[in-house]
Amino acid sequence: MSDTVTITVAEAINLSMTILRRTGLSEAQCDAVSDVVVRTQIDDCHSHGLYRLLGCVHSIAVGRINKTAEPKLSDMAPGIVRVDADHGFSSLAYRAGIDAVVAKARVQGLAALAINNCYHFSALWPEVEPLADQGLAAIALTPSHSWVAPAGGTQPVFGTNPFAFAWPRPGQHPFVFDFATSATARGEIELHRRAGKPIADGLALDDKGSPTTDPTEALKGAMLTFGGHKGSALSTMVELLAGPLIGDMLSIESKADDAQIGASPLHGELILVFDPESFLAGALGENLARAELLFDAITGQGARLPSQRRYEARERNQRGGLTIPAALFGELLELAGL
Ligand code: NDP
Ligand code: PYC
C-alpha cells in the first residue's frame, strides 16, 4: 500500500471545509482558513498546508478560538489600519483589513495593517504575495509561542517569528521570501517527529540545554535561531514590532496564556505595505527594471530565487493534485467524519 495519497485541489477544499464546519466554526472562518491551508499545500509547503487542520481543530476543540469571531476594523491614523480579530483565526482578520490598508498605501506610499487578538497558524507568503501581484511591496511579521532560545542562551524566549517579504516583478511571479527566524519552523520538526526521522544538527537543544537531533527532545527543549546572534536580533525585532508596538502579546505571554493547552499562538501581526509608484513618481518602470538586474545577477550564476520551488510546485500540483502522507489523510478523513 502506498504511504502517500493524491487528491485534487477541489477535494482538498471540500475536505477542509467539511472538517472545519463540523467544529461549528463560522462559514467565513471556514472559508478563510481553508483557502490558506489549501493554497499552502498546493505550493508543497507541507508544514503549513493541510497538516495545520489538525492544530486548528485542536485549538477549536479546547475552546480557544472564537468560532463566531467578527473582525472589527478601525482607522487608527492616516497610515494605520487596525483589525481586532476578536479571538478568531488571523486569516479572516487579514481579509477584513487588507483592502483598507492597500487603499491607504496607494494614497500615502506606505501604510501598516496591525492585526490584534488573532490565532495565527499559517504561512505568511499567502498574505504578501497577492500584494506584490497588485504592484506593491510588502513585509509581514508575527510572533508565536516562546519556543526559541536567544543566541548564547538555552531557555525559550522567542517565537519562531516568521518574516515575509514580497516585491512586484512585471510579467512574472513576484520575488517572495517567507521564513521563520528560528533555524527552522516548529512545524518542520513536528513533521520529522511524525515521520520518525531525525532533524538536522544545529536546530535545537534538549530540555537540559544539549544539542539534539531527536525531534521529540527538540520539541520539549528549545529551538535555535537561524544565523546565531543575527537571527536572535531579527526575532527580537519581530517580537517588538508585532507585539508591544501594536499593543499585543510577546511570544512568552502567548505561551503563558496558552497554559500548556497546546493551541495555536494568540497575538498580533504587522503587515507593512509600500506603493512603489508613490515613491517613484513617474520613474516606476526604470526602477522595477533596475530590480531585475539584481534578480538576473542571482539567477545568472545558477542560484535560485526564494519561492521558485513553490511556484514550480504550484504549477505541477494544480494539474497533478496534492500528494500528502496517507497517515495524515486518514486523520483528516476521521476529522471530517468520512
Ligand atoms: P525555510 O527555512 O524552508 O525557508 C523558506 C524560505 O526560503 C522560502 O521563501 C524558500 O523558498 C526559501 N528558500 C529555501 N531554500 C532556498 C534556496 N536554496 N535558495 C533560495 N531560497 C530558498 O522555511 P522555515 O522553516 O523557516 O518556514 C517555513 C514556513 O513556516 C514559512 O512559510 C513561515 O511563514 C511558516 N511559519 C509560520 C509561523 C507562524 O507563526 N504563523 C511561525 C514560523 C514559521 P521556497 O518556498 O521556494 O523553497
Ligand atoms: O511552524 O513554527 C511554526 C509555527 C508556529 C505557528 C505556526 N507555525
Side-chain angles (χ1 to χ4, degrees), residues 37-249:
V37 295
V38 173
R39 277 164 64 207
T40 307
Q41 189 66 50
I42 290 172
D43 283 15
D44 275 353
C45 299
H46 296 282
S47 64
H48 288 76
L50 291 170
Y51 164 63
R52 284 285 148 184
L53 288 169
L54 307 184
C56 291
V57 170
H58 172 70
S59 301
I60 298 166
V62 294
R64 294 284 289 178
I65 309 296
N66 178 358
K67 294 194 234 184
T68 55
E70 290 190 12
K72 288 169 198 64
L73 188 144
S74 316
D75 191 336
M76 299 291 285
I80 305 174
V81 174
R82 176 179 191 261
V83 175
D84 182 338
D86 195 19
H87 294 80
F89 287 115
S90 61
S91 326
L92 185 62
Y94 172 89
R95 282 190 175 180
I98 200 64
D99 288 349
V101 74
V102 165
K104 280 185 184 290
R106 296 264 187 228
V107 173
Q108 308 207 132
L110 172 59
L113 171 61
I115 298 177
N116 291 116
N117 304 318
C118 69
Y119 285 91
H120 204 298
F121 67 85
S122 67
L124 292 187
W125 64 259
E127 301 183 349
V128 293
E129 188 188 312
L131 300 174
D133 284 333
Q134 299 172 56
L136 302 162
I139 291 175
L141 321 160
T142 190
S144 56
H145 281 329
S146 51
W147 290 310
V148 182
T154 58
Q155 301 306 308
V157 172
F158 305 131
T160 43
N161 296 5
F163 184 103
F165 171 74
W167 176 268
R169 301 184 69 194
Q172 325 193 37
H173 286 301
F175 172 86
V176 178
F177 70 76
D178 171 21
F179 48 68
T181 49
S182 45
T184 189
R186 192 168 184 84
E188 280 298 330
I189 300 183
E190 291 169 8
L191 292 188
H192 278 74
R193 180 181 51 75
R194 287 167 63 87
K197 293 184 180 158
I199 56 171
D201 281 326
L203 302 185
L205 307 174
D206 64 20
D207 60 3
K208 302 195 175 50
S210 301
T212 185
T213 57
D214 178 333
T216 304
E217 294 304 317
L219 291 170
K220 286 194 283 192
M223 297 169 66
L224 296 172
T225 57
F226 86 91
H229 63 283
K230 300 181 185 183
S232 205
L234 282 175
S235 197
T236 307
M237 178 192 76
V238 173
E239 295 279 343
L240 296 173
L241 290 180
L245 179 76
I246 62 168
D248 219 314
M249 287 203 255

Side-chain angles (χ1 to χ4, degrees), residues 217-305:
E217 294 304 317
L219 291 170
K220 286 194 283 192
M223 297 169 66
L224 296 172
T225 57
F226 86 91
H229 63 283
K230 300 181 185 183
S232 205
L234 282 175
S235 197
T236 307
M237 178 192 76
V238 173
E239 295 279 343
L240 296 173
L241 290 180
L245 179 76
I246 62 168
D248 219 314
M249 287 203 255
L250 299 166
S251 295
I252 35 178
E253 296 175 295
S254 172
K255 184 81 164 51
D257 188 67
D258 183 67
Q260 311 284 341
I261 287 173
S264 293
L266 168 67
H267 48 68
E269 176 174 12
L270 183 68
I271 300 177
L272 301 175
V273 184
F274 305 80
D275 178 20
E277 182 107 48
S278 308
F279 279 81
L280 291 165
L284 178 65
E286 69 198 69
N287 282 288
L288 289 182
R290 172 175 287 137
E292 292 303 313
L293 296 177
L294 177 63
F295 300 132
D296 290 347
I298 296 170
T299 55
Q301 55 183 293
R304 79 153 164 106
L305 295 178

Side-chain angles (χ1 to χ4, degrees), residues 1-6 323-330:
M1 206 176 85
S2 170
D3 56 3
T4 61
V5 171
T6 299
T323 299
I324 61 172
L328 172 60
F329 187 58

